[in-house]
């Protein structure tokens, strides 16, 4: 496990350093001049501080996520108006969000320091014949410098920490360890990511502290050492990134085990066929589809029912074959190539412990509705806000005594331990077989089918050579194989990496 | 009133100042002429307008009404920054730049004026010597590492650095112990004479005023009550207030003599 974590370090650390140092530098380049510009204008000063404080209160993840749709719209606009677009996923949204995040500490410290300049010194600066500008540059800013540096240190600690959250918007960072680790219950990865980010924070903080004391005491050797240290950090982390500039194929995944296994499977095929590839792991469910359409992600696996309800906004259930057909047509009109179903479904389903279901006499959702007011239901973070849930509630008149949300792993624990009576599960989840859970039937067909379908971005939609590499995956994965593979990644005792599970799938697929 | 204005280095002509938000004027129609080469001491109770008067002369503030002439020129049309580079200013609070060495503090105005580096360095050494600080010991020290008296010597050197013809000193010895104070005030008078300066100095210490001044101006409530030589003010005070002011040092001297006389063993 440790070896697997170390193998990713150059890539993750490099991306993390590049991202966070760029954000810190850009934030500093904005906040210091801004502070100087507004320091003598009380109204603007209050406004700038107010805005920066509000930004600071937005949770880091939300701020990062907000930038994606914003940039996407902007990119569409520039493409229409000026004939060029840009990648709205990954580096840019993360950089902008973190830059905004880094503004407050430097702004606030600089303004406080400037406002607190000793009046006697200010008077002396005027009396010796300095212009207001000379007073600022020769007296006020040098005196404020230690406070500015302290602000910069705070900003850098915040940014390096928050940068771990840029993984879900498609920017590789040390957060990849944490997000992948949380999803696959790989605690070594989670811990490794946390420790690596903390150490990076610490090193940068110490170097800036050195610079701070260098400025305070006017010691050039200290300033030089700090600058050299920062350069070394930057240089060693960026070296691996410089190699290879050709844009690789981007394989996207959502944030659960099956997706990581499928991502590894796809990537392995691409690499064998000589396509350099990179991964954008743990993307949000709607982010990933937009990213595919925009070409920020080139290939990923989605589920027919998900696209049917959340993208096509359909609530009718015309049956599995019709859904697949209409979906492919709808996608084609948007330039996306639907290579077809992989062969298994990962449907929303409701699961109970077999003994509990038997005791209550529950076989189907209809039976469940009768006893539901006495029961507690657990769901993942998405289900209760999804149209599928509303459809089921409407169709069966479901009402529970309590609803709880869990990270998927904890949700199964809660069911097994009896904390909840029913959970929203996924039919391909290996844990269903592992825990011997009972899946409830859906006699009214309220839930759409969820065939796993392989989607390709407009960039490769007509590239037959590329499509040929992936086509063998279509129809090649049956439900049992997928459940087994998912369970391997999930197994607490004999945990396999998604790559190992993907390799097993390749050997055991129906082709 | 303004007869002889041409030989006066500094002239205030019916000057009034009201600070923003101030109810009554800080200076109310003040007229004053300081002849070239003289040392004028301004005295008066707290809030009477002494600092305001100094700040008018180097245009740190501008008057609402009246004119200020420096070396014969109405400073209303003069660039304040250039004017201040030609006038030395010493504060009670000293106001040395804490992030600069002693030498850099003294060098500030000459550097702003664009003097060649070598000239600046030579001038710094010359001034440190003039104010009684050994250059090789003090020039690289930081202001925080100096005693109050040493700091004010540096403040004095900084004010003198660009060879100003005029010095403005606002309670320059206010924060010093009595011995340092006497020593430094004697040095200031000596420097004034040696360099042929025109000086306006504010103090609360009447003894100091009497010992230092060519002319004394007495202020009260934003007005200049009386100006004259120490002898003239002692002999013919304009009102009871001025009389009380000058009786104070005399009374203290008498009390002191009595106390020493009565002391056992003397
Ligand atoms: N910046 C300012 N804003 C408003 N009012 C001021 C300002 N500076 C001085 N004043 C007022 O102007 C009047 C004259 O002040 P000034 O500082 O000239 O007195 P001063 O004679 O120097 O007193 P002190 O002996 O206490 O230094 C006082 O009433 C004071 O409160
Ligand atoms: Mg004063």
């Amino acid at each position: 496990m440790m070896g697997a974590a170390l193998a990713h370090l150059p890539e993750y650390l490099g991306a993390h350093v590049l991202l966070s140092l760029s954000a810190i530098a850009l934030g500093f380049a904005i906040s210091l001049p801004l502070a100087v510009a507004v320091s003598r204008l009380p109204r603007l000063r209050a406004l700038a501080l107010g805005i920066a404080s509000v930004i600071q209160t937005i949770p880091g993840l939300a701020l990062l996520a907000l930038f994606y749709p914003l940039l996407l719209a902007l990119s569409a606009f520039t493409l229409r108006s000026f004939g060029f677009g840009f990648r709205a996923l990954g580096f840019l949204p993360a950089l902008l969000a973190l830059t905004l995040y880094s503004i407050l500490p430097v702004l606030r410290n600089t303004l406080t320091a400037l406002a607190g300049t000793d009046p006697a010194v200010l008077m002396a600066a005027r009396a010796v014949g300095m212009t207001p500008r000379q007073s600022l540059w020769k007296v006020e800013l040098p005196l404020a410098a230690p406070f500015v540096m302290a602000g910069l240190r705070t900003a850098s600690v915040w940014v390096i920490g928050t940068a771990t959250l840029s993984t879900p918007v498609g920017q590789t960072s040390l957060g990849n360890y944490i997000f992948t680790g949380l999803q696959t219950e790989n605690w070594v990865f989670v811990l490794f990511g946390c420790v690596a980010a903390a150490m990076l924070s610490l090193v940068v903080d110490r170097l800036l502290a050195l610079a701070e004391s260098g400025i305070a005491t006017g010691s050039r050797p200290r300033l030089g050492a700090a600058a050299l240290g920062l350069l070394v950090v930057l240089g060693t982390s960026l070296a691996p990134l410089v190699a290879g500039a050709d844009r690789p194929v981007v394989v996207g995944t959502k944030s659960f085990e099956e997706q990581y296994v499928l991502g590894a499977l796809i990537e392995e095929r691409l690499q064998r066929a000589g396509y350099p590839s990179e991964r954008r792991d743990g993307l949000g469910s709607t982010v990933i589809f937009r990213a595919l359409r925009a070409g920020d992600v080139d290939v990923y696996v989605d589920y027919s029912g998900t696209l049917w309800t959340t993208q096509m906004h359909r609530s009718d259930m015309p049956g599995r074959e019709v859904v697949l057909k209409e979906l492919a047509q709808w996608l084609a009109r948007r330039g996306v190539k639907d290579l077809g179903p992989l062969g298994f479904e990962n449907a929303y389903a409701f699961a109970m412990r077999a003994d509990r279901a038997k005791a209550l006499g529950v076989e189907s959702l209809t039976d469940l509705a009768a006893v539901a007011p006495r029961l507690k239901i657990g769901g993942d973070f998405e289900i209760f806000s999804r149209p599928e849930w509303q459809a089921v509630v409407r169709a069966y008149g479901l009402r529970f005594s309590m609803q709880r949300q869990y990270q998927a792993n904890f949700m199964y624990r809660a069911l097994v331990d009896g904390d909840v009576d029913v959970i929203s599960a996924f039919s391909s989840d290996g844990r269903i077989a592992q825990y011997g859970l009972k899946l409830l039937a859906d006699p009214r067909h309220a839930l759409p089918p969820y065939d796993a379908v392989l989607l390709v971005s407009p960039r490769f939609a007509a590239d037959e050579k590329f499509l040929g590499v992936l086509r063998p995956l279509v129809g090649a994965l049956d439900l049992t194989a997928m459940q087994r593979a998912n369970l391997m990644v999930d197994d607490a005792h004999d945990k396999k990496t998604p790559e190992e599970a993907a390799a097993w799938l390749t050997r055991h697929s129906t082709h | 009133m303004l007869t002889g204005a041409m030989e006066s280095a500094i002239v205030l002509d019916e000057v009034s100042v009201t600070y923003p938000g101030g109810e009554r004027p800080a200076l109310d129609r003040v007229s004053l002429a300081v002849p070239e080469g003289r040392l004028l001491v301004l005295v008066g109770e707290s809030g009477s307008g002494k600092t305001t008067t100094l700040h008018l002369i180097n245009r740190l503030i501008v008057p609402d009404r009246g004119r200020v002439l420096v070396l014969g020129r109405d400073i209303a049309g003069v660039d304040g920054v250039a004017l201040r580079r030609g006038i030395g200013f010493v504060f009670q609070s000293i106001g040395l730049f804490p992030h600069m060495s002693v030498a850099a503090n003294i060098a500030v105005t000459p550097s702003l004026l664009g003097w060649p580096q070598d000239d600046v360095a030579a001038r710094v050494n010359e001034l440190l010597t003039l104010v009684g600080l050994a250059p090789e010991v003090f020039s690289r020290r930081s202001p925080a590492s100096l005693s109050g008296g040493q700091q004010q010597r540096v403040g004095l050197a900084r004010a003198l650095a660009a060879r100003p013809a005029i010095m403005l000193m606002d309670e320059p010895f206010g924060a010093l112990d009595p011995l340092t104070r006497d020593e430094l005030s004697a040095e200031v008078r000596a420097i004034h004479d040696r360099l042929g300066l025109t000086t306006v100095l504010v103090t609360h210490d009447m003894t100091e005023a009497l010992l230092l001044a060519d002319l004394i101006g007495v202020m009260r409530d934003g007005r200049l009550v009386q100006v004259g030589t120490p002898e003239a003010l002692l002999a013919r005070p304009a009102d009871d207030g001025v009389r009380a002011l000058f009786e104070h040092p005399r009374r203290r001297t008498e009390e002191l003599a009595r106390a020493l006389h009565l002391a056992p063993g003397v």
Side-chain angles (χ1 to χ4, degrees):
Chain A
M1 274 300 165
M2 218 30 208
L6 275 172
H8 288 293
L9 191 62
E11 186 198 350
Y12 292 178
L13 181 67
H16 199 98
V17 167
L18 180 65
L19 174 68
S20 38
L21 291 195
S22 305
I24 292 163
L26 193 60
F28 189 67
I30 292 169
S31 52
L32 186 63
L34 183 66
V36 169
V38 302
S39 64
R40 285 169 193 186
L41 309 165
R43 286 234 179 109
L44 279 183
R45 190 187 125 96
L47 184 71
L49 269 178
I51 294 176
S53 309
V54 167
I55 292 172
Q56 211 65 63
T57 62
I58 304 175
L61 196 57
L63 190 65
L64 283 156
L66 280 174
F67 263 94
Y68 180 59
L70 214 68
L71 285 174
L72 207 55
L74 197 66
S75 172
F77 172 77
T78 55
L79 191 62
R80 236 180 305 119
S81 317
F82 310 107
F84 72 91
F86 48 86
R87 297 186 67 188
L89 196 64
F91 189 74
L92 206 54
L95 175 71
L96 294 180
L98 292 174
T99 298
L100 280 185
Y101 223 54
S102 75
I103 287 178
L104 183 65
V106 174
L107 184 70
R108 190 172 48 199
N109 277 27
T110 310
L111 284 175
T112 310
L114 287 178
T117 315
D118 180 358
V121 170
L122 282 181
M123 178 62 85
R126 290 186 67 201
V128 298
M130 290 189 189
T131 62
R133 177 179 291 259
Q134 287 167 335
S135 168
L136 181 69
W137 286 102
K138 290 175 190 287
V139 177
E140 294 165 62
L141 281 178
L143 287 176
F147 300 90
V148 177
M149 283 306 294
L152 187 62
R153 282 173 62 188
T154 309
S156 73
V157 172
W158 284 359
V159 165
I160 291 172
T162 312
T164 54
L165 298 177
S166 57
T167 299
V169 295
Q171 165 61 33
T172 304
S173 72
L174 291 172
N176 282 36
Y177 286 120
I178 299 170
F179 281 87
T180 314
L182 280 176
Q183 287 307 325
T184 57
E185 279 196 74
N186 183 340
W187 306 121
V188 175
F189 261 48
V190 175
L191 205 66
F192 194 92
C194 292
V195 170
M199 299 236 302
L200 180 61
S201 252
L202 211 67
V203 168
V204 172
D205 186 60
R206 290 328 303 164
L207 287 172
L208 289 177
L210 191 66
E212 186 183 332
S213 85
I215 287 174
T217 58
S219 151
R220 272 166 210 276
R222 278 191 202 177
L223 268 176
L228 191 70
L230 284 170
L231 276 179
V232 168
V233 169
L234 199 63
T236 49
S237 352
L238 296 194
L241 296 188
V242 178
D246 199 19
R247 162 120 137 63
V249 179
V250 179
V251 179
T253 66
K254 302 188 190 188
S255 58
F256 48 92
E257 298 89 337
E258 178 171 292
Q259 286 275 320
Y260 296 132
V261 174
L262 293 172
L265 188 67
I266 294 168
E267 204 177 18
E268 190 264 339
R269 283 201 78 84
L270 286 173
Q271 288 184 341
R272 245 192 305 144
Y275 284 95
S277 68
E278 69 182 40
R279 291 275 287 277
R280 291 274 182 278
D281 280 335
L283 296 174
S285 194
T286 51
V287 167
I288 195 168
F289 182 68
R290 285 205 214 177
L292 183 82
R293 284 187 60 188
D296 289 336
V297 161
D298 293 312
V299 50
Y300 84 101
V301 174
D302 213 325
Y303 305 92
S304 57
T306 306
L307 294 169
W308 183 259
T309 52
T310 62
Q311 297 300 330
M312 297 170 68
H313 304 293
R314 298 277 293 261
S315 52
D316 54 321
M317 296 300 154
R320 180 164 176 259
E321 295 305 324
V322 182
V323 167
L324 279 175
K325 198 168 117 242
E326 290 194 18
L327 176 64
Q329 289 164 353
W330 184 87
L331 289 169
R333 282 201 297 279
R334 280 155 185 78
V336 172
K337 175 75 183 172
D338 176 0
L339 270 173
L342 295 178
F344 71 95
E345 265 194 74
N346 184 359
Y348 268 109
F350 291 87
M352 294 180 74
R353 255 165 50 180
D355 54 342
R356 186 103 174 102
K358 196 159 183 195
L360 290 168
V362 175
E363 291 277 335
S364 69
L365 291 172
T366 319
D367 305 333
L368 181 66
V371 290
R374 288 189 280 127
L375 303 183
K376 287 181 255 178
I377 183 164
D380 60 24
F381 295 121
E382 273 186 34
I383 179 69
F384 297 123
S385 54
R386 287 180 66 101
E388 290 93 335
W389 170 248
Q390 276 136 33
V392 170
V393 166
R394 251 198 321 275
Y396 296 96
L398 281 175
R399 206 159 44 79
F400 289 91
S401 74
M402 189 184 283
Q403 279 182 15
R404 284 206 190 135
Q405 293 185 309
Y406 295 93
Q407 195 261 339
N409 293 310
F410 300 128
M411 181 176 76
Y412 283 92
R413 298 265 157 79
L415 181 70
V416 172
D417 296 345
D419 292 338
V420 292
D421 307 289
V422 191
I423 59 167
S424 73
F426 298 101
S427 57
S428 63
D429 198 309
R431 287 167 292 205
I432 291 171
Q434 188 190 10
Y435 296 126
L437 302 183
K438 166 92 184 153
L439 288 179
L440 305 184
D442 173 22
R444 294 186 190 159
H445 302 288
L447 290 165
Y450 286 88
D451 284 284
V453 287
L454 190 54
L455 306 184
V456 176
S457 71
R459 178 179 167 209
F460 291 106
D463 183 338
E464 271 311 317
K465 176 165 167 275
F466 181 84
L467 297 178
V469 174
L470 296 177
R471 201 165 269 128
L473 288 173
V474 174
L477 306 173
D478 64 25
L479 184 62
T480 351
M482 198 64 231
Q483 278 187 349
R484 283 276 304 273
N486 288 341
L487 194 56
M488 287 179 172
V489 182
D490 219 40
D491 196 322
H493 306 297
D494 183 24
K495 190 183 272 305
K496 300 278 194 293
T497 64
E499 286 73 18
E500 288 165 337
W504 179 88
L505 261 185
T506 309
R507 288 196 302 278
H508 293 81
S509 60
T510 23
H511 284 265
Chain B
M1 179 74 216
L2 286 181
T3 45
M6 288 320 288
E7 308 94 63
S8 296
I10 301 164
V11 176
L12 306 191
D13 178 12
E14 293 280 313
V15 177
S16 297
V17 172
T18 306
Y19 284 105
E23 295 149 30
R24 50 179 201 82
L27 283 189
D28 189 7
R29 281 166 287 141
V30 168
S31 292
L32 170 70
V34 188
E36 224 177 287
R38 298 298 164 82
L39 195 159
L40 171 88
V41 173
L42 282 179
V43 297
E45 58 212 54
S46 195
S48 57
K50 306 180 296 294
T51 297
T52 307
T53 305
L54 288 190
H55 287 182
L56 273 173
I57 297 169
N58 71 350
R59 232 173 114 78
L60 282 171
I61 55 174
V62 286
D64 306 327
R65 252 180 302 137
R67 294 189 307 155
V68 180
L69 280 70
V70 172
L71 302 175
R73 274 199 307 167
D74 186 340
I75 63 168
V78 171
D79 172 30
V81 170
L83 179 72
R84 288 192 278 276
R85 289 176 186 175
I87 297 178
F89 206 115
V90 180
F91 307 88
Q92 174 177 11
S93 53
I94 307 177
L96 293 182
F97 302 120
H99 58 299
M100 298 182 186
S101 67
V102 163
N105 265 281
I106 298 173
V108 161
T109 308
S111 301
L112 289 172
L113 287 167
W115 288 21
Q117 291 255 315
D118 292 349
D119 294 5
V120 175
R123 180 70 180 152
V124 168
N125 284 345
E126 184 185 332
L127 282 164
L128 277 170
T129 313
L130 180 72
V131 299
L133 299 172
E136 61 284 0
V137 179
F138 287 96
S139 52
R140 308 188 65 170
R141 299 261 293 264
S142 87
S145 71
L146 304 183
S147 73
Q150 290 167 337
Q151 286 186 23
Q152 195 53 293
R153 286 170 194 272
V154 175
L156 184 62
R158 180 176 69 180
L160 290 167
R163 302 188 204 283
I166 293 174
M167 282 288 275
L168 306 175
M169 309 179 84
D170 196 351
E171 301 183 44
F173 318 123
L176 306 179
D177 69 88
L179 284 180
T180 314
R181 192 181 173 115
D182 290 350
E183 191 179 296
L184 206 56
S185 70
E187 281 176 38
V188 162
R189 178 72 224 199
I191 289 169
H192 167 91
D193 291 338
R194 174 132 50 104
L195 302 180
L197 302 169
T198 304
T199 302
V200 181
L201 184 149
V202 172
T203 183
H204 280 289
D205 183 334
M206 291 309 299
T207 316
E208 186 173 281
L210 289 167
L211 292 174
L212 271 182
D214 297 321
L215 294 166
I216 294 180
V218 182
M219 301 197 68
R220 188 187 308 135
D221 294 339
R223 290 170 165 275
L224 189 61
V225 185
Q226 191 174 7
V227 194
T229 59
E231 298 76 25
L233 265 66
L234 280 169
R236 293 178 297 283
D239 57 25
D240 288 348
V242 177
R243 188 194 318 277
L245 209 56
F246 285 96
E247 268 175 3
H248 184 252
R250 179 184 297 160
R251 206 174 56 238
R252 290 299 291 232
T253 315
E254 286 166 8
E255 281 169 12
L256 197 61
R258 214 168 327 122
L260 292 174
H261 185 66
L262 290 180
V266 177

